[in-house]
Amino acid sequence: MCTSFPLYPFIRAENSWYRLFSNSNIMNMLEKNAVNCLSVQYIDEDCISEELQSVEDLVPGRIESDVSSDEEIEDDDCDSLSEAEIENVRRHVLPQSLGWKFHGLTLWVELEEFDNDITTTIHSMSASHNTEVIPKSHMTAIYGMTHLSVGSALSKMKQLHGLFPNGWPKFDRPVGVVTDLAVAGRPGQVCSIAWAELTLSSNEHHEEAMDKLYELFYGEEDSIPNRHRPWKPHNSIAYDNPEKNVLSLGETFKFISKRPTLLAKERRVEAFSLWDTNGTMGEWRCLDRVKFW
């Protein structure tokens, strides 16, 4: 049922709403009163005031509607919304969790940052696209190890300083910006996910380092698994579900251009971290972090 004005703006203030209205009761209220209404950029003041003592302190400000404030939106207008339009509204009202269930223990490479440039971009992309935020800026070195217990993996983490006394080889400036998606079962694709990334390159020093890493974490196995060569390091800045992916190359460039250091700087590796990546991204846990400097 559509409601009448006065209504509150929902445009860029949407990110504020996501943060303020984090509990399920309020999110359900937002879904019920916004998704089924034609005027999707606004939220009914009366509905929100039932949940909060003071709305005025929390909302960035009123935005005049294209519809006169004296008008009431007719129910027929709501009926004219297509399923795709309703789903698009739902996409911008409710936070989108990454659905794919990952597995195993995973080793991440964590790059140095300049004024927190990568992490800030990750959070900005998540807020703008309403996607689940990546828990830590990283590049994956080894994904989905199931042959090791947590205790054994933690023991191997303690050997990293000895294995790389001078740290991990430095990375040149990124060589590209990519948005893409993978579907599990396709050649070389182990999960179903869409992403945006900073693409880096590996050299002979990185390849040698990766061989040492695989030998450390798989050395007690009968054979070390074949890895993809050359290593294709990339630092993801956003993830999404591939079925309703909203990430685009143009939008990604827009966010990256706001921080020139992202493409202009060589980067050292600040740390390696070990993560339990069993389950969805919201279930991932950092188990250990080894810093090189």
Side-chain angles (χ1 to χ4, degrees):
M1 184 74 178
C2 284
T3 57
S4 60
F5 292 87
L7 301 176
Y8 275 94
F10 206 19
I11 305 173
R12 241 343 135 151
E14 65 200 33
N15 297 327
S16 298
W17 285 117
Y18 300 151
R19 296 186 182 94
L20 291 168
F21 298 159
S22 57
N23 71 62
S24 59
N25 289 335
I26 299 177
M27 291 308 300
N28 289 337
M29 180 273 295
L30 289 179
E31 180 182 16
K32 182 169 58 180
N33 288 283
V35 169
N36 294 320
C37 183
L38 180 66
S39 185
V40 298
Q41 293 180 323
Y42 298 86
I43 300 175
D44 191 336
E45 175 183 12
D46 293 333
C47 294
I48 294 177
S49 61
E50 293 175 4
E51 301 288 343
L52 298 174
Q53 292 292 327
S54 174
V55 180
E56 296 292 343
D57 294 335
L58 300 177
V59 181
R62 294 178 183 271
I63 296 177
E64 294 208 8
S65 169
D66 293 333
V67 184
S68 167
S69 60
D70 294 326
E71 293 183 49
E72 183 170 315
I73 303 175
E74 299 295 334
D75 290 349
D76 291 343
D77 290 335
C78 290
D79 294 337
S80 67
L81 284 176
S82 68
E83 290 186 10
E85 288 172 321
I86 292 175
E87 181 57 37
N88 183 56
V89 178
R90 187 186 303 275
R91 168 84 207 199
H92 289 87
V93 174
L94 301 176
Q96 305 297 304
S97 297
L98 198 63
W100 182 259
K101 291 187 177 181
F102 300 80
H103 67 271
L105 302 177
T106 298
L107 194 62
W108 287 357
V109 177
E110 298 180 5
L111 296 175
E112 71 172 317
E113 299 196 37
F114 300 93
D115 294 326
N116 218 31
D117 54 353
I118 306 178
T119 296
T120 299
T121 302
I122 287 172
H123 283 265
S124 296
M125 287 281 287
S126 172
S128 174
H129 295 80
N130 198 23
T131 54
E132 187 172 6
V133 66
I134 298 172
K136 185 74 173 75
S137 171
H138 69 276
M139 300 192 300
T140 300
I142 303 178
Y143 164 70
M145 294 181 288
T146 57
H147 65 289
L148 290 174
S149 66
V150 170
S152 296
L154 291 173
S155 177
K156 292 181 182 297
M157 290 290 287
K158 295 177 181 178
Q159 302 178 48
L160 288 175
H161 279 140
L163 193 63
F164 304 107
N166 298 317
W168 189 266
K170 192 175 184 178
F171 286 93
D172 292 332
R173 294 178 299 174
V175 296
V177 177
V178 171
T179 57
D180 204 351
L181 61 84
V183 177
R186 291 179 180 175
Q189 298 180 351
V190 297
C191 60
S192 295
I193 188 174
W195 74 94
E197 70 173 51
L198 291 172
T199 306
L200 291 87
S201 61
S202 67
N203 55 36
E204 65 273 16
H205 304 297
H206 296 122
E207 296 302 313
E208 291 173 5
M210 283 293 287
D211 287 340
K212 290 182 180 180
L213 207 58
Y214 266 73
E215 186 174 351
L216 172 62
F217 281 87
Y218 285 97
E220 298 173 2
E221 298 296 296
D222 292 336
S223 61
I224 298 176
N226 292 327
R227 66 176 182 87
H228 295 291
R229 296 174 184 270
W231 180 39
K232 297 180 179 179
H234 62 274
N235 203 118
S236 294
I237 55 176
Y239 292 148
D240 197 7
N241 297 301
E243 300 85 3
K244 297 172 182 177
N245 174 37
V246 297
L247 303 176
S248 70
L249 188 59
E251 282 288 301
T252 302
F253 268 117
K254 183 179 76 173
F255 281 92
I256 288 177
S257 66
K258 294 178 181 179
R259 295 172 180 83
T261 53
L262 290 172
L263 296 178
K265 294 288 189 179
E266 297 179 344
R267 296 180 191 260
R268 297 173 294 170
V269 170
E270 180 178 351
F272 267 85
S273 57
L274 178 69
W275 288 71
D276 179 343
T277 51
N278 287 289
T280 61
M281 185 165 67
E283 299 173 291
W284 293 355
R285 295 183 301 118
C286 181
L287 303 175
D288 193 19
R289 177 169 286 109
V290 175
K291 292 192 173 185
F292 288 114
W293 43 271

